[in-house]
Amino acid sequence: MPMPMPTTAAGDAAATVLYCCDPLSERRVDGHFAAEARQLHAAGGLTLLVDHDALLTGDAERAVARVPDRAGTLWYRGWMLPADRYAALDAALRRRGGRLAVTAEQYRRAHELPGWYATFADLTPVSAWLPAEPGRTPDPQRLTALAAGLPPGAGVVKDYVKSRKHEWDEACHVPDLGDADALHRVVGRFVELQEEFLAGGVVLRAFEDFVAPPTRAGTAAAAEVRVWWRDGTPRLVTAHPDSPVAEVVTPDLGPVRAAVEALGCPFVTTDLALRADGVWRVVEVGDGQVSDLRQGADLDAFVRILAPGQAPLRTPSVSGTTRL
């Protein structure tokens, strides 16, 4: 059984979180985050609303119309935002006397691969990237030159933020990076499917073979785990949101912790997977404000990550969530 979370003073449990509103009702939290927002309220926190659609169209003032003046320091919790839209949100809040807890520069650093890659280079697959505009596939010569900087063999295509792993063969996986035609074809399809949502440019990553780690009982645990970090300290481990398995095996986080501390961002997620040779690898880094939480995870543990003065969490839970 999980141990109860250490008790904190009421003030320590308070956090103000800016949630995306429901697109059909601007007075309600988006349904995807509604349970989390209710748990935050139960823990003594305050929820405010922002219009995500208005942010994406460039109208940050309309997006924050329901945020009161002098709202103080706010966490954003919602759908992903391009880095420039996040910066516009922070600027609009500052004009009202508030500010985001994660600066625009910190958000970009954790959210986009070029921002975090050098810090995690020893822990993550070899990667290289090219800036690209939505709808514009880099020419074959530039892609071939980019691939030449990676180890020979297979590779994975993504943009600065996301891949299209659910279209693995047509828009994600390149069986041989030395096959210029196949590389251009997969990258082209990826750019096409991303449409206007292509983030930053095209990234090539070396392919590594990952396996699901066994539990102590010998069953398969989640193949990918998400670690939630606050101020360089791991606070929670959950299965990746896409995992059909809830149970997790917690990796040795020592080397990852050093990298997270060096990154210098207040709220970060790292997704880890076990390589076939038994080495845990970081497959993705993200800003925690826009990282999804797996359904069924411990919401109380999660919302208290955002509280000031929070005591460290610990002990594994039968739910598949590990409190650290």
Side-chain angles (χ1 to χ4, degrees):
M1 294 294 292
M3 290 175 59
M5 197 185 99
T7 303
T8 59
D12 285 345
T16 303
V17 180
L18 196 57
Y19 282 99
C20 291
C21 67
D22 188 320
L24 302 179
S25 176
E26 64 181 15
R27 295 177 179 271
R28 296 187 306 194
V29 175
D30 187 297
H32 188 80
F33 304 98
E36 182 184 310
R38 288 192 295 269
Q39 187 62 48
L40 176 76
H41 180 75
L46 176 65
T47 62
L48 299 174
L49 295 173
V50 64
D51 188 330
H52 183 261
D53 290 343
L55 284 173
L56 292 184
T57 60
D59 193 347
E61 293 299 329
R62 180 165 68 88
V64 300
R66 301 187 65 83
V67 178
D69 292 342
R70 296 179 294 279
T73 301
L74 310 169
W75 297 99
Y76 171 74
R77 185 76 183 124
W79 303 113
M80 285 187 179
L81 288 169
D84 61 340
R85 296 293 189 250
Y86 183 91
L89 170 61
D90 189 45
L93 291 171
R94 288 176 184 271
R95 287 191 288 272
R96 290 171 166 260
R99 68 179 183 88
L100 289 168
V102 178
T103 68
E105 190 278 332
Q106 289 169 333
Y107 176 81
R108 183 185 290 273
R109 197 188 320 156
H111 184 58
E112 297 183 346
L113 183 142
W116 58 260
Y117 177 74
T119 307
F120 288 82
D122 292 339
L123 306 171
T124 196
V126 176
S127 304
W129 56 89
L130 283 173
E133 297 294 326
R136 293 176 177 266
T137 303
D139 63 56
Q141 293 76 18
R142 295 182 72 201
L143 289 175
T144 298
L146 189 69
L150 273 64
V156 173
V157 176
K158 67 188 295 291
D159 63 20
Y160 288 7
V161 177
K162 298 283 286 183
S163 70
R164 298 196 68 92
K165 62 185 179 182
H166 299 298
E167 291 97 5
W168 180 253
D169 291 325
E170 63 172 319
C172 188
H173 182 245
V174 182
D176 180 3
L177 289 170
D179 184 340
D181 291 339
L183 175 62
H184 192 257
R185 182 175 64 252
V186 173
V187 171
R189 183 59 173 154
F190 172 79
V191 171
E192 178 186 6
L193 291 174
Q194 287 296 86
E195 299 179 324
E196 71 271 24
F197 301 108
L198 183 78
V202 170
V203 176
L204 300 182
R205 310 201 77 194
F207 174 80
E208 296 186 0
D209 190 18
F210 297 113
V211 297
T215 66
R216 291 179 181 177
T219 58
E224 195 170 321
V225 298
R226 176 160 290 178
V227 185
W228 302 79
W229 305 78
R230 171 76 190 276
D231 297 326
T233 300
R235 300 295 192 181
L236 194 67
V237 177
T238 65
H240 188 275
D242 293 340
S243 173
V245 179
E247 191 168 2
V248 296
V249 171
T250 303
D252 173 13
L253 296 176
V256 183
R257 181 170 188 158
V260 172
E261 289 175 347
L263 190 66
C265 298
F267 188 27
V268 173
T269 55
T270 54
D271 295 343
L272 285 87
L274 185 65
R275 201 166 57 190
D277 62 0
V279 176
W280 283 94
R281 300 285 278 165
V282 174
V283 295
E284 194 64 76
V285 177
D287 180 83
Q289 298 176 111
V290 296
S291 296
D292 201 9
L293 185 66
R294 190 183 188 279
Q295 187 174 4
D298 188 336
L299 292 179
D300 180 64
F302 176 77
V303 300
R304 290 178 184 272
I305 295 174
L306 303 179
Q310 178 206 288
L313 304 178
R314 52 187 181 273
T315 75
S317 164
V318 292
S319 69
T321 299
T322 300
R323 294 177 168 190
L324 297 173

